[in-house]
C-alpha cells in the first residue's frame, strides 16, 4: 500500500513538472521594435533591425495579414510580437 502511494506521488510530481515546463515555454513572447530590413513573400520571412541594432529574422504566423506584410518597405518602423521560435504573432507599423 505504501509503495503504491509513493508511486502515485512520484507520478503526480512528474506530470506537474511537465505541465509547468510546457506552460512556461508556450508563454515566452518577445516584443521587438525596429525597422524593416526586408520581407521575402516566397518564404514569408521578415528581417528587422531592432532598436539595439541587432538583425532578427522572423516568420509570418498564420494570423498575420500577408497583404500588410507585402506593403512593408525597408526602413518602415514596426512593433512586433513573436513567439520563442520567431513566429510573428502580431505586427503594428508605427
Amino acid at each position: 500500500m505504501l509503495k503504491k502511494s509513493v508511486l502515485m506521488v512520484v507520478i503526480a510530481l512528474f506530470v506537474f513538472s511537465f505541465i509547468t515546463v510546457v506552460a512556461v515555454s508556450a508563454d515566452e513572447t518577445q516584443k521587438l521594435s525596429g525597422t524593416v530590413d526586408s520581407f521575402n513573400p516566397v518564404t514569408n520571412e521578415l528581417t528587422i533591425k531592432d532598436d539595439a541594432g541587432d538583425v532578427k529574422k522572423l516568420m509570418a504566423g498564420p494570423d498575420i495579414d500577408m497583404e500588410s506584410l507585402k506593403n512593408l518597405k525597408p526602413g518602415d518602423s514596426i512593433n512586433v510580437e513573436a513567439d520563442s521560435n520567431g513566429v510573428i504573432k502580431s505586427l503594428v507599423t508605427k
Side-chain angles (χ1 to χ4, degrees):
M1 182 70 174
L2 182 62
K3 287 182 183 181
K4 189 174 182 180
S5 297
V6 170
L7 180 61
M8 293 297 287
V9 169
V10 169
I11 290 172
L13 289 172
F14 175 75
V15 169
F16 178 74
S17 65
F18 180 75
I19 290 171
T20 302
V21 168
V22 169
V24 169
S25 296
D27 288 341
E28 291 182 20
T29 299
Q30 52 183 328
K31 295 181 181 183
L32 304 168
S33 291
T35 57
V36 173
D37 189 45
S38 65
F39 174 66
N40 185 335
V42 175
T43 61
N44 295 334
E45 184 178 81
L46 176 68
T47 305
I48 68 167
K49 186 179 280 189
D50 66 16
D51 291 338
D54 297 326
V55 175
K56 307 282 185 186
K57 291 188 178 188
L58 305 169
M59 297 297 293
D63 298 332
I64 301 300
D65 176 25
M66 295 308 294
E67 285 304 312
S68 64
L69 280 177
K70 290 177 184 176
N71 292 328
L72 291 174
K73 295 174 186 66
D76 285 349
S77 294
I78 58 172
N79 291 326
V80 177
E81 286 188 13
D83 67 15
S84 59
N85 295 320
V87 176
I88 301 170
K89 295 176 151 187
S90 69
L91 183 141
V92 177
T93 55
K94 295 185 202 176

